[in-house]
């Protein structure tokens, strides 16, 4: 449905987006994940028509959108600070897009009531928007975006201003709504929790390019590069060098057998990912030792930091200062590119 | 930038304070006498200097606007008088001045010589000094160039060929303007004068605040080369034009319309302000004003006629100044009762 | 107890020098005994004057919006050469004394002004072709000159803080650019536009100097009529009635204003939009054309003034010789000369000294009285909230009314002040006080109490804590407020015209007197003095602007 082809954009002379290409199918939610300032918002604005790329195409069902102005694209865009119209109350805000379509009054009323119910804000219909809390404003913004039946939904870091518990509640609700509406959606964020919670497919944006694209499980299991693994916080990342096929040397010792991508040859530099969760029944394909520097309880496990700065999580707390011997199964160690 | 601005202000302040050296501090010996006048007051400098020397006094003149404004200022400050002597009340404002009770009576010795028809105040609070006729002046060249006849009376002014030609002063502030208004009331009567003014206003009447502006800015026949060839001024103004001309003139370039009832006789008075600490000096000054020297100086300074019959008129004055044979007049008592009402009605019709 | 004392000084001052004279006016106005004819004539006068006041204020406001709204758009959206300078220049007219503005327009468009002189010389005319002074057009133009900056600042600020995402949201929801403007931009700007329009209307309604000097005898607003009835007709009761009407109007209007404007919707998260240079051809035409108009409107009158004071065009009064145009410093030299035949018995330059003296005294009085009140209002309790509106009342009362009140009140036992020249700076202080308080209040309110607590914890006793912590933070605000008071006093004309003793003229009064006298010499001196006044006021304004306090809304 939506197809982005080779989009390029610079900002103040520096290249921001380089040859970005991807597509979205019907009822698919993709998350665009990347660090702050990496150009995610700019990409959304290009799709919406608010900015013009230096080269590249945005097409919808094959039709080139470059000649079509913003107000005719029927793409919904929800901003980080919601941009609710302060001079209108809740229901008038939501009705705005419907008014722009010049729908008759009773149809507008019906639709507004429908979306209000969808976001669970029916009681707030006549309130001025400045009186609402952050979470309530976010729901109204969502309702406003949904009301005019957009053919594409775009979210620009909408949860940025919310606290954790609120965020979790809203994420659940948003996922439900997205599934119900069958509308394709792009969700832009730097928070991987949000991305993983919502997306059918995750795209990771790094230095202007999409470095990894896949389902959440795919991306989680096969990060593909050191940056992705680090960004997602998947575990300890070591740099190493291939000694020979199946052997990688690191500062912590030689890992073997460890298969890296068959494209690599001896002498290449690679990264190693060591997942942090260690359980008692893990097979001992590899061994690791270290002195325990710090232990703290987190998420029902003990987070252990060794003095060589590696971090693992164990079910039992070891003694601080004592020596720790770890058995690492082969599922826990990956060779990245 | 801030520092620059601050220092600039300080420097300018210092310069201003330095430059303004007050020159009016009297020395220990001489006292000062303050005389409040209207703006048209003029007197020869050496005459005043002589008076100052003879009486060991420093005379300062407070020019305070046109006759009406000056009088009002004196009235408003009567509990804390601004001066010792007031010159410039005329017969149109006489009642207002007397009612306010701001003068002290002085039976000057010279009063005996002054003809009684000028002695309009029996209480001697205000003593007559000079008189003149308020008449319409016209620019001779303007009318001859266009082959227009000069209007002869009030009704003529309403004719379309004289549209936009007349400038007069606001009677609320200017005694000249008020005199003119009174002349029309004397002519048309209290019931009809407003109709005349309505018509005159439609015929392009120009109103300004005071005589100086009317004569020197608006009148085409004076040095101001203004737009209007007809101005409410004095019958003696044409003489001034001759006397002050750069090149010698045989004939006056302007004239006055002095037909019956079109002029109004104005008498000006002087009085000692109540509460003055310098009563004796004030009396001396009033004597000086009524005396022959000042009275003979007045015609060429202020273009008015002296009341003192012993004062001789300068020859140019005799030749070029005019008085009306039959000026309009209204009983001062009637003026007293109705003046404010007339002025308000006139303002309503003409200015609003 | 301390709170009470802080209020005491200022309250006593205001009661004696503002409320009591006002009550005297009320008393005289309400107890007037007039005959039937006089009464109906009076009501007729009041009615027609009120109508004219309202009419010219409406017209002026509309014209001001016509110039100001495109100007606000220009300043908030475009970057162009000289923008910063033009920004500062447009702020100056508002603070300029009315006599200076009148003199400026006179120098540009008056019968002896640049336009007429040039046209007369070009086409060899005898009579000045442009008849500008003493027309309604002069009044309207001067009002636009004065008040456009209000629209530029209030609406311009709001426009540049307008969150562009609002418009973008509207666009994604289907609004084309025209609909974005009507449905989003305008509603967001509406509070600012309303505030600006109401303020402009208020200032136009209470305008005095402009009407008096540029309108001439044919035009009288309520203010001018009060002046005329007081000084010329000596009809104090009628003047009192007119004053009451004026007070009622400004009171009602101030209440309306504070209700409508404070209830407006503030931007949730103000955004500073970055203006850019004009690129498209249509944009360039718009920017260029508007710049020409604004420059002509603001700069020409102010620049023609000093130039006019340095050129001699016409002969002295009474002479019949025509003289060639010549550059001359005579008019400035005349200011220092004590001519016996001149209008004042002292050199006119003393008016400058008097004005400065009065301005310094005003600054001191209003700072001393305003400071404690401002610090109380910065952290208001119940008493402050109750007393606040009374404090702001002098803002609405007309200066002429104040002068009239003083004349009535202080000319008899036991308040025998009328002879005192001190009455002038006191009147100025009453007028300046609300502005001073409003300048100081936000600065004082913005100091977190934690600062003083931190200083105390580190060992400073209360006076030291104040000097070490509070004073550095508010010294700029204090200087700014003082400058404000200084400028107001320097240019004040309404009250001063009624109160000043002839031996202590102020600069605006001297200018007024010289302007109403004919003759090249008088005119030139008026221009010279007006140029000086303009210079000093401008310096003070630039200083005030440089201090650039955050959130300084004079309103």
């Amino acid at each position: 449905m939506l197809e982005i082809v080779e989009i390029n954009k610079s900002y103040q002379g520096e290249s921001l987006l380089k040859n970005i290409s991807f597509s979205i199918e019907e009822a698919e939610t993709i998350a665009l994940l990347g660090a702050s300032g990496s150009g995610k918002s700019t990409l959304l604005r290009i799709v919406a028509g608010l900015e013009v790329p230096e080269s590249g195409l945005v097409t919808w069902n094959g039709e080139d959108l470059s000649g079509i102005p913003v107000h005719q694209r029927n793409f919904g865009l929800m901003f980080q600070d919601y941009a609710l119209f302060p001079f209108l109350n809740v229901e008038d805000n939501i009705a705005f897009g419907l008014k722009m379509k010049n729908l008759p009054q009773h149809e507008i009323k019906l639709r507004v009531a429908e979306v209000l119910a969808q976001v669970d804000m029916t009681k707030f219909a006549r309130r001025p928007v400045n009186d609402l809390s952050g979470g309530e404003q976010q729901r109204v913004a969502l309702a406003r975006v949904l009301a005019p039946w957009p053919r594409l939904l775009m979210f620009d870091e909408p949860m940025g201003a919310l606290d954790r518990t609120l965020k979790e509640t809203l994420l659940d609700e948003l996922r439900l709504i997205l599934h119900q509406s069958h509308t394709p959606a792009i969700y832009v964020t730097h928070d991987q929790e949000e991305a993983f919670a919502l997306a059918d497919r995750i795209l990771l944006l790094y230095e202007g390019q999409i470095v990894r694209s896949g389902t959440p499980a795919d991306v989680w299991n096969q990060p593909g590069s050191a940056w992705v693994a680090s960004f997602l916080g998947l575990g300890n990342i070591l740099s190493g060098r291939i000694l020979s096929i199946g052997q990688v040397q690191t500062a912590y010792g030689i890992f073997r057998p460890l298969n890296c991508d068959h494209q690599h040859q001896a002498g290449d530099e690679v990264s190693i990912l060591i997942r942090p969760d260690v359980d008692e029944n893990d097979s001992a394909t590899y061994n690791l030792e270290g002195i325990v520097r710090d232990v703290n309880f987190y998420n029902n496990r003990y987070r252990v930091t060794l003095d060589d700065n590696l971090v693992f999580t164990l079910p039992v707390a070891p003694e601080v200062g004592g020596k720790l011997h770890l058995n690492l199964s082969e599922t826990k160690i990956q060779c990245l590119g | 930038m801030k520092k620059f601005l601050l220092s600039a202000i300080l420097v300018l302040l210092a310069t201003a304070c330095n430059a303004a050296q007050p020159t009016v501090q009297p020395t220990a010996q001489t006292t000062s006498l303050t005389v409040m006048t209207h703006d048209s007051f003029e007197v020869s400098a050496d005459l005043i200097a002589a008076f100052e020397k003879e009486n060991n006094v420093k005379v300062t003149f407070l020019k305070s606007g046109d006759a009406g404004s000056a009088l009002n200022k004196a009235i408003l400050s009567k509990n804390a008088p601004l001066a010792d002597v007031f010159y410039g009340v005329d017969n149109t404002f006489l009642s207002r001045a007397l009612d306010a009770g701001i003068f002290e009576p002085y039976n000057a010795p010279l009063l005996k010589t002054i003809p009684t028809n000028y002695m309009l105040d029996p209480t001697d609070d205000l003593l007559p000094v000079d008189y003149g006729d308020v008449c319409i002046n016209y620019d001779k060249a303007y009318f001859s160039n266009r082959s227009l006849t000069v209007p002869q009376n009030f009704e003529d002014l309403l004719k379309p060929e004289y549209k936009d030609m007349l400038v007069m002063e606001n009677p609320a502030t200017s005694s000249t303007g008020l005199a003119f208004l009174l002349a029309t009331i004397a002519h048309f009567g209290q019931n009809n004068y407003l109709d005349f003014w309505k018509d005159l206003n439609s015929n392009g009447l120009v109103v300004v605040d005071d005589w100086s502006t009317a004569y020197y800015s608006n009148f085409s026949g004076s040095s101001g080369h203004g737009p209007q060839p007809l101005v409410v001024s004095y019958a003696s103004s044409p003489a001034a034009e001759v006397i002050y001309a750069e090149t010698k003139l045989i004939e006056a370039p302007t004239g006055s319309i002095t037909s019956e009832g079109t002029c109004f006789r104005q008498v000006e008075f002087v009085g000692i302000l109540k509460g003055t600490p310098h009563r004796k000096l004030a009396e001396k000054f009033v004597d000086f004003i009524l005396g022959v020297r000042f009275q003979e100086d007045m015609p060429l300074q202020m273009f008015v006629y002296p009341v003192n019959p012993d004062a001789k008129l300068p020859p140019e004055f005799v030749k070029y100044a005019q008085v009306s044979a039959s000026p309009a007049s209204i009983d001062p008592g009637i003026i007293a009762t109705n003046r404010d009402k007339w002025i308000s009605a006139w303002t309503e019709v003409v200015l609003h | 107890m301390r709170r009470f004392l802080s209020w005491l000084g200022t309250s006593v001052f205001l009661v004696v020098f503002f409320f009591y004279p006002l009550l005297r006016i009320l008393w005289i106005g309400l107890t007037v005994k007039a005959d039937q004819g006089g009464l109906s004539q009076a009501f007729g006068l009041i009615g027609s004057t009120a109508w004219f006041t309202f009419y010219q204020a409406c017209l002026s406001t509309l014209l001001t919006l016509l110039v100001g709204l495109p100007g606000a758009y220009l300043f908030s959206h475009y970057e162009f050469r000289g923008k910063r300078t033009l920004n500062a220049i447009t702020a100056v007219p508002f603070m300029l004394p009315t006599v200076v503005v009148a003199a400026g327009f006179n120098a540009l468009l008056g019968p002896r002004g640049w336009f007429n002189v040039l046209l007369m010389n070009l086409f060899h005319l005898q009579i000045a072709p442009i008849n500008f002074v003493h027309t309604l057009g002069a009044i309207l133009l001067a009002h636009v000159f004065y008040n456009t900056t209000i629209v530029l600042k209030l609406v311009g600020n709001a426009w540049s803080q307008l969150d562009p995402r609002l418009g973008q949201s509207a666009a994604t929801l289907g609004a084309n650019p025209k609909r974005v403007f009507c449905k989003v931009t305008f509603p967001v700007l509406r509070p600012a536009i309303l505030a600006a329009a109401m303020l402009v209307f208020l200032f136009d309604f209470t305008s005095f100097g402009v009407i008096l000097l540029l309108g001439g005898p044919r035009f009288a607003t309520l203010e001018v009529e009060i002046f005329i009835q007081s000084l010329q007709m000596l009809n104090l009761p009628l003047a009192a009635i007119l004053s009451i009407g004026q007070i009622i109007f400004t009171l009602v209007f101030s209440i309306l204003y504070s209700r409508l404007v404070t209830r407006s919707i503030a931007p949730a998260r103000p955004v500073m939009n970055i203006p850019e240079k004009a690129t498209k051809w249509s944009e360039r035409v718009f920017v260029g054309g508007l710049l020409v108009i604004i420059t002509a409107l603001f700069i020409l009158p102010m620049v023609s003034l000093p130039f006019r004071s340095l050129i001699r065009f016409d002969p002295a009064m009474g002479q019949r010789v025509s003289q060639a145009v010549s550059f001359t410093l005579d008019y400035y030299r005349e200011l220092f000369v004590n001519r016996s035949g001149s209008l004042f018995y002292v050199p006119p330059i003393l008016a400058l000294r008097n004005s400065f003296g009065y301005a310094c005294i005003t600054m001191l009085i209003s700072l001393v009285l305003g400071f404690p009140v401002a610090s109380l209002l910065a952290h208001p309790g119940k008493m402050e909230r109750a007393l606040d509106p009374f404090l702001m009342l002098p803002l609405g009362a007309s200066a002429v009314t104040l002068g009239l009140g003083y004349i009535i009140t202080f000319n008899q036992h036991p308040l025998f002040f009328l002879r005192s020249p001190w009455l002038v700076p006191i009147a100025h202080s009453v007028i300046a006080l609300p502005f001073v308080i409003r300048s100081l209040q936000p600065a004082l309110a913005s100091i977190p109490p934690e600062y003083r607590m931190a200083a105390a914890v580190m060992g400073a006793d209360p006076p030291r804590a104040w000097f070490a912590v509070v004073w550095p933070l508010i010294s700029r605000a204090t200087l700014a407020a003082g400058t404000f008071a200084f400028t107001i006093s320097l240019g004040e004309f309404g009250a001063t015209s009624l109160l000043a003793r002839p031996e202590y003229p102020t600069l605006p009064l001297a200018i007024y007197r010289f302007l109403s006298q004919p003759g090249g010499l008088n005119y030139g001196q008026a221009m010279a003095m007006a140029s000086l006044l303009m210079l000093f006021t401008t310096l003070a304004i630039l200083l005030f602007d440089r201090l650039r306090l955050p959130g300084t809304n004079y309103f």
Side-chain angles (χ1 to χ4, degrees), chain A residues 116-128:
Chain A
L116 271 176
Q118 217 176 353
V119 297
D120 203 15
M121 289 284 284
T122 315
K123 286 198 303 272
F124 293 80
R126 290 202 198 272
R127 294 269 199 93

Side-chain angles (χ1 to χ4, degrees), chain C residues 91-343:
Chain C
V92 170
F94 182 72
M95 306 264 269
L96 277 183
T98 41
V99 275
V100 171
V101 172
F105 274 105
N106 212 321
L108 187 63
L109 293 165
R112 273 190 163 82
W114 285 105
F115 269 67
N116 274 321
V117 166
L118 278 167
L119 286 173
M120 278 166 77
N121 277 329
L122 268 176
F123 297 110
H124 300 289
L125 302 165
Q126 276 287 71
I127 303 175
I130 297 183
N131 190 20
F132 172 74
V133 181
H134 291 193
T135 62
L136 183 63
I139 294 175
L140 297 177
L141 189 60
H143 281 166
V144 171
F145 174 79
Y146 247 121
N147 292 317
T148 303
T149 182
I150 298 178
V151 179
L152 287 179
K153 292 277 189 290
L154 283 184
V155 179
N157 265 351
W159 218 327
S160 62
Q161 287 179 4
L162 188 71
D163 189 348
R165 291 192 249 211
L166 290 175
Q168 289 163 359
S169 286
T172 61
L173 289 166
N176 59 32
K178 194 178 85 139
R179 280 182 111 165
V180 168
F181 182 81
C182 292
K183 297 268 177 196
V184 178
T185 313
F186 184 73
V188 175
L189 286 180
R190 193 172 44 214
I193 297 179
L194 191 65
M198 288 187 81
L199 219 52
V200 170
F201 186 83
L202 181 66
F203 287 131
D204 287 335
F205 194 90
T206 56
S207 173
F208 173 66
V210 166
I211 314 276
L212 191 70
L213 295 166
L214 286 177
R218 281 191 185 269
F219 298 102
T221 56
L222 283 174
E223 284 278 286
V224 172
E225 195 60 41
I226 296 171
F227 175 79
I228 289 176
Q229 294 299 329
S230 310
L231 268 199
Q232 292 175 2
M233 304 297 287
L234 267 195
N235 191 346
L236 294 185
L238 185 56
I241 296 180
L242 287 167
S243 302
I244 294 172
Q246 179 83 306
I247 294 171
I248 291 178
F249 168 78
T250 44
L251 196 65
V252 165
F253 203 80
S254 305
I255 295 176
L256 251 175
Y257 177 79
S258 58
R259 281 284 183 81
L260 281 175
V261 169
T262 52
R263 236 168 29 106
S264 71
I265 302 124
R269 249 171 280 205
V271 167
M272 287 315 269
N273 290 312
I274 303 170
E276 293 168 351
K277 275 191 180 291
T279 43
K280 291 197 288 235
W281 198 83
S282 59
E283 286 182 341
R284 289 231 176 105
V285 168
F286 170 74
V287 170
L290 201 55
L291 276 178
V292 166
I293 295 178
I294 291 183
T295 311
L297 179 64
F298 284 104
I299 296 192
L300 277 183
M302 299 199 313
V303 152
S304 44
L305 189 57
F307 273 115
R308 193 65 187 81
S309 68
L310 293 169
I311 310 274
R312 183 202 299 277
F313 277 126
D314 25 43
M317 180 166 93
Q319 291 177 344
R320 296 199 137 258
V321 176
S322 60
Q323 228 167 345
V325 175
S326 59
F327 175 82
T328 174
L329 284 174
D330 277 354
Y331 300 133
Y332 285 95
R333 259 182 243 128
E334 272 302 309
L335 297 181
F336 294 90
V337 169
N338 180 13
R339 278 192 194 284
S340 63
S342 79
L343 288 175

Side-chain angles (χ1 to χ4, degrees), chain C residues 360-400:
Chain C
C360 290
I361 298 173
T362 305
M363 190 166 72
L364 266 155
I365 296 180
S366 37
L367 277 178
V368 163
L369 290 176
F371 212 94
V373 173
S375 41
L376 283 176
L377 284 175
H379 307 285
K382 239 196 312 196
M383 179 160 72
E384 279 75 37
R385 268 185 262 270
L387 288 173
D388 192 330
F390 288 102
L391 223 62
M392 291 303 144
L393 214 56
L395 202 67
S398 72
V400 174

